[in-house]
Amino acid sequence: TAVAARMAFVEPGGYKRLLVVVKQTAYSMYRQMKAQGSAPLALQWQSLAARDRSHRACVKELGALLRKTGCATTFVNRQELHHNHLEGVDLVIAVGGDGTALSASHFLRDDVALLAINSDPEAPSEIGEEDRTNPAPTPDMRRSTGALCACNRYNMHQVVPEVLVKAREPKTRSRLRVHVKAAYNDTLLPPALNDVLVAHPSPAAVSRLYISGECQGKRFDMNSWNSGVWLCTATGSTAAMSSAGGVAMDPLSRDMQWRIREQLDSSAPQAPCSGIVEPGGQIFIRWNSQVGGVYVDGHYVHHSLELGDEVTVSADARPLYVFHP
């Protein structure tokens, strides 16, 4: 194709400095644990090794693809990613799945685009005739989901060249700004691309909190005993929020959605337990349990809470530019 023919060099308006963030597979992690004698006994090593081979093959093929471009390219392990790696970078490529894309997004400003590649999708040869005719086949939960990925191992050879010469444009995705005020310090957490959970670290414990904000033009405030509070962007509305009973939002919406999980008691029974917060609005939470936590885009980014800590969440974080399928 014309785009592929231009890959031998980078055009003046194309991306020139690339950072490739690579996930560590479960197989690699468990092998390290096995060497230390701490790996679980019930592991399915054959399946883990197959997923690892697929991922490594994707990374190798991507490296060969990028060498043809003449772009300055650096590879870094997801666990080793640091702000210093982004110096002068104009495009980040995350290779793995949604978790890798989310981890990379926490380091990105609004002037660096993100391209995510699903390194272990279901192979075309693994899809039988019945699956091809089934409009909703059962997903293989062992594979990377790739909801945030613009391409996968099998079609990246077409998509990546188009991205590098800017034949494709990224879309703007809103992010959540999370500020925690404690007795002696203030902390600004990494921007959340998907969601934020404020909850007790034990799923069996009650989360006691005070929550206030403005929803559909009406102010509300209440003391609540529950299993935590979900807050999400439009991107995250189809993830955990959806499983909790939330509503799917337009992917490009700048609104924030919130929902209390399993409310037990309230001093304001008529107050809402979920809603949409428009741009410029925020949700305020005062933590009233002895211990708690704020979880950003899953469990990897975690900030501990103590009694009296205050959490303010809004959709005012700098947006992220992400390439879509």
Side-chain angles (χ1 to χ4, degrees):
T1 65
V3 172
R6 286 181 283 174
M7 278 200 60
F9 63 95
V10 179
E11 294 187 340
Y15 295 104
K16 301 177 180 65
R17 295 181 59 86
L18 316 179
L19 177 66
V20 181
V21 181
V22 182
K23 82 169 182 180
Q24 179 184 32
T25 65
Y27 178 75
S28 176
M29 179 186 67
Y30 284 130
R31 283 196 64 182
Q32 294 176 10
M33 295 176 64
K34 183 179 180 181
Q36 300 169 358
S38 58
L41 298 178
L43 289 173
Q44 298 182 355
W45 288 104
Q46 186 174 2
S47 176
L48 290 172
R51 306 285 71 77
D52 180 77
R53 285 194 298 272
S54 176
H55 171 71
R56 289 179 182 274
C58 178
V59 175
K60 183 178 180 179
E61 293 169 16
L62 177 64
L65 187 65
L66 295 179
R67 280 193 293 273
K68 299 176 182 178
T69 69
C71 294
T73 305
T74 302
F75 284 75
V76 62
N77 187 287
R78 167 180 165 179
Q79 279 74 18
E80 299 172 352
L81 181 60
H82 189 273
H83 286 286
N84 292 341
H85 290 117
L86 294 167
E87 192 75 32
V89 169
D90 53 13
L91 176 66
V92 169
I93 302 177
V95 186
D98 292 334
T100 309
L102 290 170
S103 290
S105 75
H106 295 159
F107 293 85
L108 300 188
R109 307 175 299 270
D110 58 358
D111 58 347
V112 179
L114 174 65
L115 168 65
I117 300 175
N118 184 352
S119 63
D120 184 30
E122 195 167 27
S125 60
E126 295 175 325
I127 302 177
E129 292 300 325
E130 287 189 17
D131 290 327
R132 290 194 179 96
T133 59
N134 185 352
T138 301
D140 185 349
M141 299 308 294
R142 299 170 299 178
R143 304 301 179 91
S144 298
T145 303
L148 298 173
C149 298
C151 57
N152 58 47
R153 174 189 172 189
Y154 301 106
N155 65 359
M156 67 178 181
H157 302 85
Q158 174 186 348
V159 175
V160 172
E162 294 176 350
V163 168
L164 293 182
V165 298
K166 296 191 176 181
R168 290 187 178 218
E169 292 295 326
K171 302 293 185 182
T172 304
R173 293 292 185 106
S174 66
R175 294 191 286 183
L176 302 184
R177 184 180 188 274
V178 187
H179 177 260
V180 180
K181 182 179 181 181
Y184 298 107
N185 57 72
D186 289 6
T187 305
L188 186 63
L189 300 185
L193 179 58
N194 255 7
D195 47 43
V196 172
L197 174 64
V198 182
H200 194 284
S202 170
V206 175
S207 295
R208 297 173 175 86
L209 54 88
Y210 166 84
I211 183 171
S212 66
E214 184 171 320
C215 189
Q216 281 82 44
K218 297 181 179 179
R219 293 286 305 174
F220 72 90
D221 67 284
M222 61 179 171
N223 290 295
S224 176
W225 289 17
N226 51 58
S227 295
V229 180
W230 278 116
L231 306 103
C232 76
T233 62
T235 302
S237 66
T238 56
M241 180 65 80
S242 176
S243 299
V247 298
M249 302 164 65
D250 184 321
L252 302 182
S253 171
R254 295 179 55 237
D255 292 344
M256 175 176 69
Q257 184 175 174
W258 66 279
R259 174 171 286 267
I260 293 177
R261 301 196 306 175
E262 303 168 351
Q263 177 144 292
L264 304 178
D265 187 28
S266 173
S267 60
Q270 303 304 316
C273 293
S274 64
I276 301 293
V277 178
E278 297 178 350
Q282 63 183 29
I283 293 293
F284 171 84
I285 297 172
R286 182 187 186 277
W287 188 250
N288 291 333
S289 290
Q290 185 174 358
V291 295
V294 181
Y295 304 86
V296 178
D297 287 334
H299 67 284
Y300 289 107
V301 179
H302 165 248
H303 184 86
S304 297
L305 296 176
E306 297 181 353
L307 179 68
D309 287 355
E310 299 175 350
V311 183
T312 304
V313 185
S314 69
D316 295 338
R318 290 184 175 182
L320 182 69
Y321 290 96
V322 184
F323 287 94
H324 288 206

